[in-house]
Amino acid sequence: TKRKIESFDELSTYDIIINCTGLGARELAGDRSMLPVRGQIVVVKATTPPQVNGIYHSMEVDCSKFAHVFPFKDIILLGGIEEPGEWSTVPDPDVAKEIYE
């Protein structure tokens, strides 16, 4: 059942709760110390089925930029970045270009 709640106290009768609140967790949990960490990925169409049987992940020393490749049958997910404290949910075209290149 999907419904809007204002507090975790409203869920005391449930045995299992799946919390997918994202940025809303700060208000829902009443924890002002929670800050967002913005990420971004690029989805590209696979022109031929990827010849990779796994994923690739690499991280730079400062942890603000990393590379990951998740191949699927028709698409490939490319990423990414890590921007602590960034509230924007709007994709950045410059970041997308950097990820793609």
Side-chain angles (χ1 to χ4, degrees), residues 34-83:
M34 291 181 75
L35 294 174
V37 177
R38 181 182 177 279
Q40 185 168 325
I41 61 169
V42 174
V43 180
V44 296
K45 182 176 169 105
T47 55
T48 60
Q51 301 299 311
V52 180
N53 294 325
I55 63 171
Y56 169 80
H57 182 81
S58 173
M59 187 176 293
E60 290 185 6
V61 175
D62 69 0
C63 297
S64 65
K65 295 181 182 180
F66 52 93
H68 53 254
V69 178
F70 296 95
F72 295 89
K73 181 179 176 185
D74 299 325
I75 63 167
I76 302 172
L77 299 181
L78 307 173
I81 59 164
E82 179 182 78
E83 296 178 310

